[in-house]
Structure formats: C-alpha cells, structure tokens
Amino acid sequence: MKSLSEIETISKRASRAVGFSWGIAEEIAKGIRSLELFGLPGIRNLNQYYKSINKKNYEILKTLKKNNKKNKLPLCPIKLGLNFLDHAKKVQTLKKITLYKVAYPILILPFLSRSSGIIGKKILIKLDKEIFLLNFNENILSNFTNKEPTSIAKKIEISFIEN
C-alpha cells in the first residue's frame, strides 16, 4: 500500500510523462490523492486513461453549457475537470449541466469536489447509475461499488444544490 504522498508523486510524474505541463500534472496529482483518500480507484482509473491516451483521441470541451451533447469523441476528463474548476463560479449559474460520452469519468470528481469548495455549494453528480454528493471539498459520498475503471460514461448530470 502506498502513502498519499507517494500516490501524489507518482501521479504527478506519470502525468508529466504523458505530456501534461507541470501545473496540470500537479492538479491531477492532487485529484488522484483525493480520490484515493475517499476510497475511490483514482490510480487505477488514471493508469487506464494514460494507457489509452495514445491509442484514442479525446475531445476537449471548451465551453460548458447546460446540455453538452455534440461531441463525437469521448471527452477528456482532465481537461473537462480543469475547465470546470477554472469556471466554477460562472458554471454554477446553469444550475444543472448534462455531459455525454466522458472518458474515465471518476477522474473529473476531484475537480468538481474542489469546485464545490470554491462556490460554497454541494454538487450532486449522477454518473450513469452511480450517484456522488460532493460536499465543499470535504468529503465525497456515493453509492459507488464498481472498483474497475469505467472507460466511458454515457451520461453525467451535474446539479448544484442550494444551501
């Protein structure tokens, strides 16, 4: 079993090795550490995502809207999570966001969890049949039981819960 510091360091180095900048690699590493802290399979999902990154193309969603359905390729979870984190205050005004075809969707959870802390609202996520409640970047509650990586989520609904 690896310590959280080891998980963070390994995730950061692996992220740099596949081509992410140091800044993005640091954000990814913090996220994987958070997933593992809450008992979610962060390392396993990141590993599978990085194995597929050279074989598959992933689409980058530049603007988040209420309904994001036009993507032909699966969405990149890292770029999607960073986009969400960078625009959290603006995106919360949409109240509910629907995404389709997201690759390795567990990887966006830590970015959304940090967004919850930034905006001061809980975020409810329905990821196919799984439900996650993100509570101000303090904890992640879920009915998640699948420890194997889900390569693509067909539909993700993100709702902002008013306090």
Side-chain angles (χ1 to χ4, degrees):
M1 180 175 205
K2 301 220 179 283
S3 72
L4 292 175
S5 293
E6 289 173 310
I7 289 168
E8 192 168 342
T9 300
I10 290 167
S11 299
K12 187 185 316 180
R13 288 181 181 167
S15 299
R16 276 295 295 148
V18 298
F20 288 108
S21 69
W22 276 113
I24 292 175
E26 291 226 0
E27 295 297 332
I28 294 167
K30 288 179 204 172
I32 299 305
R33 177 187 176 125
S34 176
L35 287 174
E36 292 291 331
L37 178 68
F38 294 120
L40 297 169
I43 293 173
R44 188 174 287 152
N45 276 271
L46 186 66
N47 185 32
Q48 289 301 314
Y49 174 65
Y50 286 167
K51 284 181 180 178
S52 73
I53 208 165
N54 291 328
K55 298 174 191 168
K56 295 181 183 176
N57 290 325
Y58 294 104
E59 197 166 330
I60 297 171
L61 190 63
K62 294 190 180 6
T63 306
L64 289 163
K65 301 176 280 189
K66 274 186 168 285
N67 195 358
N68 302 276
K69 195 171 185 170
K70 295 184 181 180
N71 51 312
K72 293 178 182 162
L73 298 170
L75 295 173
C76 170
I78 305 297
K79 298 288 184 162
L80 178 62
L82 288 168
N83 191 358
F84 201 100
L85 185 60
D86 288 344
H87 301 100
K89 295 215 180 243
K90 181 179 173 185
V91 171
Q92 73 170 327
T93 61
L94 298 175
K95 306 282 187 215
K96 185 176 181 181
I97 298 170
T98 306
L99 302 161
Y100 297 88
K101 284 176 43 179
V102 177
Y104 297 93
I106 292 295
L107 297 177
I108 67 168
L109 290 179
F111 298 105
L112 296 173
S113 181
R114 288 182 49 211
S115 298
S116 173
I118 289 169
I119 62 175
K121 291 182 182 177
K122 293 179 184 177
I123 299 176
L124 180 68
I125 300 167
K126 293 181 184 173
L127 192 155
D128 292 335
K129 295 177 183 174
E130 311 290 343
I131 297 173
F132 297 88
L133 180 62
L134 310 177
N135 195 4
F136 311 114
N137 200 29
E138 294 292 325
N139 60 32
I140 299 174
L141 303 171
S142 75
N143 66 344
F144 184 74
T145 57
N146 186 7
K147 295 296 178 186
E148 292 304 311
T150 301
S151 60
I152 297 184
K154 294 175 186 163
K155 181 179 178 182
I156 298 177
E157 293 178 349
I158 302 167
S159 303
F160 299 91
I161 301 173
E162 295 295 330
N163 297 329

PDB file of all heavy atoms in Angstrom, residues 92-112:
ATOM      1  N   GLN A  92     -21.857  27.567 -12.134  1.00  0.00           N
ATOM      2  CA  GLN A  92     -22.891  27.280 -11.134  1.00  0.00           C
ATOM      3  C   GLN A  92     -24.226  27.955 -11.460  1.00  0.00           C
ATOM      4  O   GLN A  92     -25.275  27.502 -11.030  1.00  0.00           O
ATOM      5  CB  GLN A  92     -22.421  27.691  -9.751  1.00  0.00           C
ATOM      6  CG  GLN A  92     -22.396  29.195  -9.552  1.00  0.00           C
ATOM      7  CD  GLN A  92     -22.159  29.594  -8.135  1.00  0.00           C
ATOM      8  OE1 GLN A  92     -22.579  28.897  -7.218  1.00  0.00           O
ATOM      9  NE2 GLN A  92     -21.480  30.704  -7.942  1.00  0.00           N
ATOM     10  N   THR A  93     -24.185  29.033 -12.245  1.00  0.00           N
ATOM     11  CA  THR A  93     -25.418  29.731 -12.606  1.00  0.00           C
ATOM     12  C   THR A  93     -26.302  28.892 -13.539  1.00  0.00           C
ATOM     13  O   THR A  93     -27.482  29.174 -13.672  1.00  0.00           O
ATOM     14  CB  THR A  93     -25.118  31.088 -13.282  1.00  0.00           C
ATOM     15  OG1 THR A  93     -24.374  30.859 -14.479  1.00  0.00           O
ATOM     16  CG2 THR A  93     -24.333  31.999 -12.351  1.00  0.00           C
ATOM     17  N   LEU A  94     -25.732  27.857 -14.154  1.00  0.00           N
ATOM     18  CA  LEU A  94     -26.506  26.986 -15.043  1.00  0.00           C
ATOM     19  C   LEU A  94     -27.427  26.033 -14.256  1.00  0.00           C
ATOM     20  O   LEU A  94     -28.317  25.430 -14.830  1.00  0.00           O
ATOM     21  CB  LEU A  94     -25.569  26.172 -15.943  1.00  0.00           C
ATOM     22  CG  LEU A  94     -24.692  26.985 -16.884  1.00  0.00           C
ATOM     23  CD1 LEU A  94     -23.736  26.061 -17.631  1.00  0.00           C
ATOM     24  CD2 LEU A  94     -25.522  27.798 -17.855  1.00  0.00           C
ATOM     25  N   LYS A  95     -27.174  25.874 -12.964  1.00  0.00           N
ATOM     26  CA  LYS A  95     -27.958  25.027 -12.050  1.00  0.00           C
ATOM     27  C   LYS A  95     -27.788  23.532 -12.313  1.00  0.00           C
ATOM     28  O   LYS A  95     -27.629  22.750 -11.412  1.00  0.00           O
ATOM     29  CB  LYS A  95     -29.460  25.364 -12.061  1.00  0.00           C
ATOM     30  CG  LYS A  95     -29.769  26.807 -11.794  1.00  0.00           C
ATOM     31  CD  LYS A  95     -29.674  27.135 -10.351  1.00  0.00           C
ATOM     32  CE  LYS A  95     -30.170  28.547 -10.124  1.00  0.00           C
ATOM     33  NZ  LYS A  95     -29.454  29.209  -9.084  1.00  0.00           N
ATOM     34  N   LYS A  96     -27.867  23.109 -13.590  1.00  0.00           N
ATOM     35  CA  LYS A  96     -27.716  21.699 -13.935  1.00  0.00           C
ATOM     36  C   LYS A  96     -27.003  21.607 -15.280  1.00  0.00           C
ATOM     37  O   LYS A  96     -27.345  22.317 -16.217  1.00  0.00           O
ATOM     38  CB  LYS A  96     -29.076  21.016 -14.004  1.00  0.00           C
ATOM     39  CG  LYS A  96     -29.004  19.529 -14.250  1.00  0.00           C
ATOM     40  CD  LYS A  96     -30.397  18.917 -14.214  1.00  0.00           C
ATOM     41  CE  LYS A  96     -30.330  17.432 -14.437  1.00  0.00           C
ATOM     42  NZ  LYS A  96     -31.665  16.830 -14.435  1.00  0.00           N
ATOM     43  N   ILE A  97     -26.027  20.709 -15.346  1.00  0.00           N
ATOM     44  CA  ILE A  97     -25.250  20.510 -16.569  1.00  0.00           C
ATOM     45  C   ILE A  97     -25.310  19.029 -16.932  1.00  0.00           C
ATOM     46  O   ILE A  97     -25.168  18.167 -16.061  1.00  0.00           O
ATOM     47  CB  ILE A  97     -23.785  20.929 -16.357  1.00  0.00           C
ATOM     48  CG1 ILE A  97     -23.714  22.412 -16.025  1.00  0.00           C
ATOM     49  CG2 ILE A  97     -22.930  20.604 -17.576  1.00  0.00           C
ATOM     50  CD1 ILE A  97     -22.353  22.871 -15.576  1.00  0.00           C
ATOM     51  N   THR A  98     -25.510  18.747 -18.205  1.00  0.00           N
ATOM     52  CA  THR A  98     -25.516  17.375 -18.684  1.00  0.00           C
ATOM     53  C   THR A  98     -24.375  17.194 -19.683  1.00  0.00           C
ATOM     54  O   THR A  98     -24.226  17.979 -20.616  1.00  0.00           O
ATOM     55  CB  THR A  98     -26.857  17.023 -19.359  1.00  0.00           C
ATOM     56  OG1 THR A  98     -27.922  17.313 -18.440  1.00  0.00           O
ATOM     57  CG2 THR A  98     -26.924  15.559 -19.726  1.00  0.00           C
ATOM     58  N   LEU A  99     -23.586  16.157 -19.456  1.00  0.00           N
ATOM     59  CA  LEU A  99     -22.455  15.816 -20.325  1.00  0.00           C
ATOM     60  C   LEU A  99     -22.666  14.420 -20.882  1.00  0.00           C
ATOM     61  O   LEU A  99     -23.233  13.559 -20.211  1.00  0.00           O
ATOM     62  CB  LEU A  99     -21.150  15.841 -19.530  1.00  0.00           C
ATOM     63  CG  LEU A  99     -20.785  17.139 -18.831  1.00  0.00           C
ATOM     64  CD1 LEU A  99     -19.751  16.877 -17.748  1.00  0.00           C
ATOM     65  CD2 LEU A  99     -20.268  18.131 -19.842  1.00  0.00           C
ATOM     66  N   TYR A 100     -22.188  14.191 -22.087  1.00  0.00           N
ATOM     67  CA  TYR A 100     -22.307  12.887 -22.719  1.00  0.00           C
ATOM     68  C   TYR A 100     -20.934  12.392 -23.147  1.00  0.00           C
ATOM     69  O   TYR A 100     -20.079  13.180 -23.528  1.00  0.00           O
ATOM     70  CB  TYR A 100     -23.232  12.960 -23.941  1.00  0.00           C
ATOM     71  CG  TYR A 100     -24.640  13.354 -23.578  1.00  0.00           C
ATOM     72  CD1 TYR A 100     -25.016  14.687 -23.522  1.00  0.00           C
ATOM     73  CD2 TYR A 100     -25.583  12.393 -23.261  1.00  0.00           C
ATOM     74  CE1 TYR A 100     -26.305  15.047 -23.168  1.00  0.00           C
ATOM     75  CE2 TYR A 100     -26.872  12.745 -22.904  1.00  0.00           C
ATOM     76  CZ  TYR A 100     -27.225  14.076 -22.858  1.00  0.00           C
ATOM     77  OH  TYR A 100     -28.500  14.437 -22.503  1.00  0.00           O
ATOM     78  N   LYS A 101     -20.751  11.084 -23.079  1.00  0.00           N
ATOM     79  CA  LYS A 101     -19.515  10.435 -23.506  1.00  0.00           C
ATOM     80  C   LYS A 101     -18.266  11.047 -22.861  1.00  0.00           C
ATOM     81  O   LYS A 101     -17.465  11.680 -23.506  1.00  0.00           O
ATOM     82  CB  LYS A 101     -19.393  10.465 -25.034  1.00  0.00           C
ATOM     83  CG  LYS A 101     -20.286   9.466 -25.713  1.00  0.00           C
ATOM     84  CD  LYS A 101     -20.282   9.503 -27.218  1.00  0.00           C
ATOM     85  CE  LYS A 101     -18.960   9.650 -27.874  1.00  0.00           C
ATOM     86  NZ  LYS A 101     -19.026   9.663 -29.328  1.00  0.00           N
ATOM     87  N   VAL A 102     -18.112  10.810 -21.572  1.00  0.00           N
ATOM     88  CA  VAL A 102     -16.938  11.287 -20.848  1.00  0.00           C
ATOM     89  C   VAL A 102     -16.034  10.085 -20.553  1.00  0.00           C
ATOM     90  O   VAL A 102     -16.480   9.101 -19.968  1.00  0.00           O
ATOM     91  CB  VAL A 102     -17.325  11.992 -19.530  1.00  0.00           C
ATOM     92  CG1 VAL A 102     -16.086  12.417 -18.761  1.00  0.00           C
ATOM     93  CG2 VAL A 102     -18.224  13.181 -19.812  1.00  0.00           C
ATOM     94  N   ALA A 103     -14.776  10.173 -20.969  1.00  0.00           N
ATOM     95  CA  ALA A 103     -13.818   9.097 -20.728  1.00  0.00           C
ATOM     96  C   ALA A 103     -13.403   9.084 -19.258  1.00  0.00           C
ATOM     97  O   ALA A 103     -13.224  10.141 -18.655  1.00  0.00           O
ATOM     98  CB  ALA A 103     -12.594   9.290 -21.614  1.00  0.00           C
ATOM     99  N   TYR A 104     -13.273   7.917 -18.695  1.00  0.00           N
ATOM    100  CA  TYR A 104     -12.827   7.719 -17.313  1.00  0.00           C
ATOM    101  C   TYR A 104     -13.402   8.782 -16.374  1.00  0.00           C
ATOM    102  O   TYR A 104     -12.679   9.606 -15.810  1.00  0.00           O
ATOM    103  CB  TYR A 104     -11.302   7.656 -17.249  1.00  0.00           C
ATOM    104  CG  TYR A 104     -10.802   6.465 -18.036  1.00  0.00           C
ATOM    105  CD1 TYR A 104     -10.441   6.584 -19.380  1.00  0.00           C
ATOM    106  CD2 TYR A 104     -10.755   5.204 -17.458  1.00  0.00           C
ATOM    107  CE1 TYR A 104     -10.034   5.488 -20.116  1.00  0.00           C
ATOM    108  CE2 TYR A 104     -10.355   4.094 -18.193  1.00  0.00           C
ATOM    109  CZ  TYR A 104      -9.998   4.253 -19.521  1.00  0.00           C
ATOM    110  OH  TYR A 104      -9.609   3.155 -20.248  1.00  0.00           O
ATOM    111  N   PRO A 105     -14.719   8.770 -16.226  1.00  0.00           N
ATOM    112  CA  PRO A 105     -15.418   9.856 -15.508  1.00  0.00           C
ATOM    113  C   PRO A 105     -15.046  10.035 -14.044  1.00  0.00           C
ATOM    114  O   PRO A 105     -15.204  11.131 -13.513  1.00  0.00           O
ATOM    115  CB  PRO A 105     -16.888   9.464 -15.653  1.00  0.00           C
ATOM    116  CG  PRO A 105     -16.867   7.986 -15.846  1.00  0.00           C
ATOM    117  CD  PRO A 105     -15.621   7.697 -16.630  1.00  0.00           C
ATOM    118  N   ILE A 106     -14.528   9.019 -13.399  1.00  0.00           N
ATOM    119  CA  ILE A 106     -14.113   9.164 -11.994  1.00  0.00           C
ATOM    120  C   ILE A 106     -13.054  10.257 -11.868  1.00  0.00           C
ATOM    121  O   ILE A 106     -12.966  10.948 -10.855  1.00  0.00           O
ATOM    122  CB  ILE A 106     -13.569   7.816 -11.449  1.00  0.00           C
ATOM    123  CG1 ILE A 106     -14.685   6.790 -11.353  1.00  0.00           C
ATOM    124  CG2 ILE A 106     -12.863   7.985 -10.118  1.00  0.00           C
ATOM    125  CD1 ILE A 106     -15.776   7.110 -10.371  1.00  0.00           C
ATOM    126  N   LEU A 107     -12.286  10.468 -12.924  1.00  0.00           N
ATOM    127  CA  LEU A 107     -11.193  11.438 -12.871  1.00  0.00           C
ATOM    128  C   LEU A 107     -11.658  12.890 -12.803  1.00  0.00           C
ATOM    129  O   LEU A 107     -10.868  13.764 -12.448  1.00  0.00           O
ATOM    130  CB  LEU A 107     -10.255  11.242 -14.071  1.00  0.00           C
ATOM    131  CG  LEU A 107      -9.546   9.889 -14.123  1.00  0.00           C
ATOM    132  CD1 LEU A 107      -8.707   9.773 -15.388  1.00  0.00           C
ATOM    133  CD2 LEU A 107      -8.693   9.666 -12.886  1.00  0.00           C
ATOM    134  N   ILE A 108     -12.935  13.163 -13.116  1.00  0.00           N
ATOM    135  CA  ILE A 108     -13.405  14.555 -13.002  1.00  0.00           C
ATOM    136  C   ILE A 108     -13.901  14.879 -11.591  1.00  0.00           C
ATOM    137  O   ILE A 108     -14.022  16.042 -11.229  1.00  0.00           O
ATOM    138  CB  ILE A 108     -14.494  14.931 -14.037  1.00  0.00           C
ATOM    139  CG1 ILE A 108     -15.792  14.188 -13.786  1.00  0.00           C
ATOM    140  CG2 ILE A 108     -14.011  14.738 -15.438  1.00  0.00           C
ATOM    141  CD1 ILE A 108     -16.964  14.717 -14.581  1.00  0.00           C
ATOM    142  N   LEU A 109     -14.143  13.854 -10.785  1.00  0.00           N
ATOM    143  CA  LEU A 109     -14.701  14.075  -9.444  1.00  0.00           C
ATOM    144  C   LEU A 109     -13.865  15.005  -8.561  1.00  0.00           C
ATOM    145  O   LEU A 109     -14.420  15.900  -7.919  1.00  0.00           O
ATOM    146  CB  LEU A 109     -14.942  12.748  -8.726  1.00  0.00           C
ATOM    147  CG  LEU A 109     -16.068  11.886  -9.265  1.00  0.00           C
ATOM    148  CD1 LEU A 109     -16.162  10.592  -8.466  1.00  0.00           C
ATOM    149  CD2 LEU A 109     -17.390  12.619  -9.264  1.00  0.00           C
ATOM    150  N   PRO A 110     -12.546  14.841  -8.479  1.00  0.00           N
ATOM    151  CA  PRO A 110     -11.805  15.740  -7.586  1.00  0.00           C
ATOM    152  C   PRO A 110     -11.854  17.200  -8.028  1.00  0.00           C
ATOM    153  O   PRO A 110     -11.854  18.109  -7.196  1.00  0.00           O
ATOM    154  CB  PRO A 110     -10.375  15.199  -7.608  1.00  0.00           C
ATOM    155  CG  PRO A 110     -10.298  14.282  -8.760  1.00  0.00           C
ATOM    156  CD  PRO A 110     -11.680  13.818  -9.062  1.00  0.00           C
ATOM    157  N   PHE A 111     -11.928  17.445  -9.338  1.00  0.00           N
ATOM    158  CA  PHE A 111     -12.025  18.817  -9.826  1.00  0.00           C
ATOM    159  C   PHE A 111     -13.377  19.415  -9.447  1.00  0.00           C
ATOM    160  O   PHE A 111     -13.472  20.564  -9.033  1.00  0.00           O
ATOM    161  CB  PHE A 111     -11.846  18.859 -11.348  1.00  0.00           C
ATOM    162  CG  PHE A 111     -10.501  18.380 -11.806  1.00  0.00           C
ATOM    163  CD1 PHE A 111     -10.348  17.133 -12.385  1.00  0.00           C
ATOM    164  CD2 PHE A 111      -9.377  19.176 -11.651  1.00  0.00           C
ATOM    165  CE1 PHE A 111      -9.111  16.693 -12.812  1.00  0.00           C
ATOM    166  CE2 PHE A 111      -8.126  18.742 -12.072  1.00  0.00           C
ATOM    167  CZ  PHE A 111      -7.993  17.489 -12.654  1.00  0.00           C
ATOM    168  N   LEU A 112     -14.427  18.604  -9.550  1.00  0.00           N
ATOM    169  CA  LEU A 112     -15.758  19.059  -9.162  1.00  0.00           C
ATOM    170  C   LEU A 112     -15.849  19.245  -7.649  1.00  0.00           C
ATOM    171  O   LEU A 112     -16.495  20.172  -7.169  1.00  0.00           O
ATOM    172  CB  LEU A 112     -16.825  18.077  -9.643  1.00  0.00           C
ATOM    173  CG  LEU A 112     -16.961  17.924 -11.158  1.00  0.00           C
ATOM    174  CD1 LEU A 112     -17.932  16.808 -11.498  1.00  0.00           C
ATOM    175  CD2 LEU A 112     -17.385  19.216 -11.792  1.00  0.00           C
TER     176      LEU A 112
END
